[in-house]
Amino acid sequence: MIRLENLTKQFPGMDRLAVNKLNLEVGKGEVCVLVGPSGCGKTTTMKMINRLCEPTDGKIYVDGQDTSKMNPIKLRLDIGYVIQQIGLFPHMTINDNVATVPKEKKWPKEKIKKRTAELLELVGLDPREHGGRYPSGLSGGQQQRVGIARALAADPPIMLMDEPFAAVDRITRSRLQNEFLRLQRELNKTIIFVTHDIDEAIKMGDRIAVLREGKLIQYDEPGKILSEPAGDFVANLVGRNRSIKRLHLIRAHEILEEEHWGVPLDTPREEIKERIEESVISTVMVIDEKGYLKGIIGRRAIEEKEGEKAEDLMEEVPDNVTDDATLNDALSVMLEIGEGYVPVVDADGLFRGTLTLNTLLDQVRSDKSAK
Amino acid sequence: MLKKSGVLAFVLVFLLVPFLSVQSVNADEVVIGSKEFTEQLILGQITIRILEEHGIPVRDETNLGGTLVLREAQEIGEVDLCWEYTGTALITHLGYAEAITDPEECYQVVKEEDYERFNLVWLSYAPMNNTYTIMMRKSVSEEMGIETISDLAEAINEGREAPSPGSWQFASNHEYSIRDDGYPGLTEHYGFHFDGVQIMDLGITYAALRDGDVALAMGFATDGRIEAFGLVNLEDDKFYHPVYNAAPVIRAEVLEQYPEIEEILAPIAEKLDTPTMSRLNGMVDIEGYEPDEVAEIWLQEEGFID
Amino acid sequence: MLNRILKFLIVPILLVGMGIGVVIYVVENPTDSMVARMLTYDFIISSMEKHLLMVFVSMLGAIAVGVPVGIMLSRPSFYYVGKVIENVVNVGQTVPSLAILALFFTFLGLGFNTAVFALWLYSILPILRNTFAGIMSVQPEVVESAKGMGMSPWRVLSKIELPIAYPIIIAGIRTAIVINVGTATLATFIGAGGLGDMIVTGISVRREMVTFTGAALSALLAILLDYIIGRIEKNLVRWS
């Protein structure tokens, strides 16, 4: 889908090459992460793909076509573009921001309206509540979502994303990352993703290209980057705690156990007591008839609270993760809420099971012994 | 304390300075004074040069200050001789409320009263009259045969074709445009109307007239630009504007000491008409000569000195 | 809607009313014959007309030149030229307006056209400077994302940069028009007429009422124009 051939860039007045004979091929539907320290040429490489920056030498092929022979405006209209600072247009409403490319492509008004609402919902914003607002009225995380919706507006086959989640806090970032990965499974875009954060690269990438001073050092799947780093530079970049990094590669749904300590709303007190004794986390999850997680009951609750049924005894769920979250995300949440477990729900909010600290430790151990 | 005595000393010195300077004056010297503008400086230099020529000792105190300062100096005897204008003396020094528009009459009133009250003698006056004037371009004046304001009134009333800019536009400064004794009275006195009045700064009425932006303009009659820009004063034949003829004014006791001064200055005053004064002013203001150079040149031209 | 129009009109009506009140009062109650001769309805109205004409012609010309030149200088290829011109403009602004009038009088002669030319030149400065500064204030990432999404340079300018710079450009126009109304009172020195006729004549013959009338009308005019432009800006910009 995208092929870089001997791609080279030298900025005027600079001796060093910003990008040095880079060869790279990204397949359709793949997420290719360019990672490396600042000044490694990752952003420059990305900007050459949509020709915001012209190569000094070498070629770029998109769908087999030489981009240097294409009209740059037309080229860009078919490539979604998200940057770190988002760059929302402050004088336009959220709707108008999202409609930018469809308007440039002169879509009919009705179609634009429909598409805008659809996209805002897709990135988790309410079109009626947020559509008429200006960017200054949105939180950082919401602005990022709008930035992504705007890039997706005309359904471009290719997306260029330059540190798209760098401007928000850690929790929001991991949530946005997970949502984006879920979207990507549906949309199947070809994505060039730039980051300096190796954790993000491992989590997001189908393949990772490690760059250093304009040169490609290693281009591999995340697992290979972790297990077989090509040389000291990549090894240092990945760091010493590779086992924990591997938790980025495993999704919650891959290791969910059958036993999840769920009980229905009308479970009597005595039965709950028994289940809690059996449970390794000394807690049961209360599930309603549709399968939604309604609350939890721990030892303390059953001793202190009155009532005979589960629904009277249950307490609020401290937090949960979605089943496409990585084990690393799950670990973060456990540390955050100070418990040895976290409930897992699917995209629709249905209860899927429970992850425990022990399960995570088993994963890390089995990885170590496998080596 | 020190500060106080310092101030006191300062004040004392200042109080004493006039007496000290009077003390140092050579009793035989004639002190020539003048106001601070070009015409006055030239008149002062002419006087100095011609008196020297006749062997009278003089001291140069020209460029002394404004009208009031010069007059004060002359009344207390620090200045013996200077040039003053009849209209100014009448209104400002003698306190008359109404101006006199006949030159001879104005001169006689001033001459008589200034001698009686202040012991100052007005020598014979020059025909030059530094008053408000109505100007035209010289070429237009010659072509249309307009020399006086009456001629102008007639031409306008007969509906003769106006020169550039094509109608009888009149340039006036702000003050003249509204004063009772300015433009409103002028048109009433002569019985005519301009097509329009353009109000502007006094300094640029001359250039506006030269460039044909207006057909007529007001100004001051002896301004150097009149001659230099090829303009001409229309004669105020019905004596509308107050007169400001210049004349040498001398303290009576000095004139007694040097009675010949009256004879020396009379022919000089006679030669100083308005166009001449305008030309001499122009030599300083436009051509860049010094006042004493202009005095020398003119006196030579006229044969008063060699 | 009607309510909003009324709300918009209340201040202008008040200002115009004050102006008319001043004019009627001074024309009907002159302090002496000289004041009466100057302050007639005809004269005041024609002075106002000339003043307005000078201001409008010079402002339209200044906007027509200042905005495009400001835009041109903000293009990357003109960046350094823009910086130089910005500094020249800042220095130019320190030249007294009377000096500019006097300077152009010597080249262009007397009257209305010279006054308009000098006012035009003087008003270009704040408009040009603010247009340049306004466009330079647009965050680079906003321009980059617009370009990256496939907007042509012309579209980026017209849809992104100008609308965002708009409040600053308008502020420049407001500054210019207030300066312009005040400076136009100096046009009287070169025979261009306007409200300055009253101000300077009043001073030269010490008739405060005449000076006051000219000064009050030009102040009211400046406030009125400033207000109107300010309202227009507010109605067009809702995002900041």
Side-chain angles (χ1 to χ4, degrees), chain A residues 265-273 276 297-314:
Chain A
L265 285 168
D266 56 356
T267 318
R269 181 185 268 270
E270 282 312 306
E271 195 184 331
I272 294 171
K273 252 187 179 168
I276 289 178
I297 306 172
R299 266 209 184 109
R300 199 179 40 81
I302 203 150
E303 276 161 19
E304 290 173 8
K305 278 197 158 181
E306 311 244 317
E308 287 307 318
K309 292 262 167 70
E311 55 187 322
D312 306 321
L313 295 163
M314 68 188 184

Side-chain angles (χ1 to χ4, degrees), chain B residues 42-101:
Chain B
I42 295 172
L43 292 172
Q45 291 303 327
I46 287 175
T47 312
I48 289 167
R49 183 66 185 88
I50 195 69
L51 294 189
E52 279 175 344
E53 182 74 13
H54 288 84
I56 297 170
V58 293
R59 193 150 62 84
D60 186 348
E61 285 292 343
T62 57
N63 202 7
L64 200 62
T67 300
L68 295 177
V69 174
L70 180 63
R71 177 71 179 194
E72 180 77 18
Q74 192 172 29
E75 282 180 11
I76 64 170
E78 276 192 61
V79 165
D80 297 323
L81 173 57
C82 65
W83 291 70
E84 185 52 284
Y85 305 94
T86 53
T88 308
L90 186 79
I91 306 283
T92 310
H93 305 324
L94 302 175
Y96 277 67
E98 292 277 319
I100 299 173
T101 56

Side-chain angles (χ1 to χ4, degrees), chain A residues 47 50 52 73 76-77 79 81 83 85-92 100-101 104 134 136 150, chain C residues 139 141-153 155 159-161 163-164 238-240:
Chain A
K47 283 187 179 175
N50 67 357
L52 281 179
I73 304 289
R76 290 174 199 154
L77 285 174
I79 298 180
Y81 189 55
I83 56 175
Q85 308 89 337
I86 319 170
L88 293 184
F89 307 141
H91 61 301
M92 292 185 185
T100 306
V101 178
E104 292 297 306
Y134 288 93
S136 55
R150 185 173 67 171
Chain C
Q139 290 174 307
E141 64 264 22
V142 169
V143 175
E144 192 198 318
S145 64
K147 266 194 222 161
M149 283 191 296
M151 282 187 163
S152 65
R155 298 273 297 169
K159 292 281 162 186
I160 308 294
E161 290 177 292
I164 294 175
R238 307 221 181 117
W239 50 273
S240 56

Side-chain angles (χ1 to χ4, degrees), chain C residues 75-189:
Chain C
R75 298 301 91 191
S77 45
F78 281 99
Y79 183 78
Y80 290 101
V81 186
K83 282 278 163 206
V84 170
I85 295 207
E86 195 188 11
N87 283 308
V88 170
V89 159
N90 285 339
V91 172
Q93 196 84 85
T94 64
V95 178
S97 38
L98 192 57
I100 289 199
L101 271 179
L103 183 69
F104 286 107
F105 167 72
T106 55
F107 294 130
L108 295 173
L110 185 74
F112 184 79
N113 293 343
T114 307
V116 167
F117 184 81
L119 287 174
W120 169 75
L121 198 76
Y122 211 61
S123 302
I124 286 179
L125 310 182
I127 297 175
L128 187 152
R129 187 180 50 197
N130 275 40
T131 304
F132 179 71
I135 293 182
M136 296 315 272
S137 78
V138 178
Q139 290 174 307
E141 64 264 22
V142 169
V143 175
E144 192 198 318
S145 64
K147 266 194 222 161
M149 283 191 296
M151 282 187 163
S152 65
W154 171 249
R155 298 273 297 169
V156 173
L157 178 66
S158 64
K159 292 281 162 186
I160 308 294
E161 290 177 292
L162 279 183
I164 294 175
Y166 179 77
I168 299 178
I169 299 176
I170 292 289
I173 294 175
R174 281 174 79 168
T175 310
I177 209 162
V178 171
I179 295 174
N180 193 310
V181 170
T183 308
T185 60
L186 300 179
T188 182
F189 288 115

Side-chain angles (χ1 to χ4, degrees), chain A residues 320-331:
Chain A
N320 59 40
V321 295
T322 50
D323 60 353
D324 55 1
T326 65
L327 297 192
N328 196 68
D329 297 333
L331 181 60

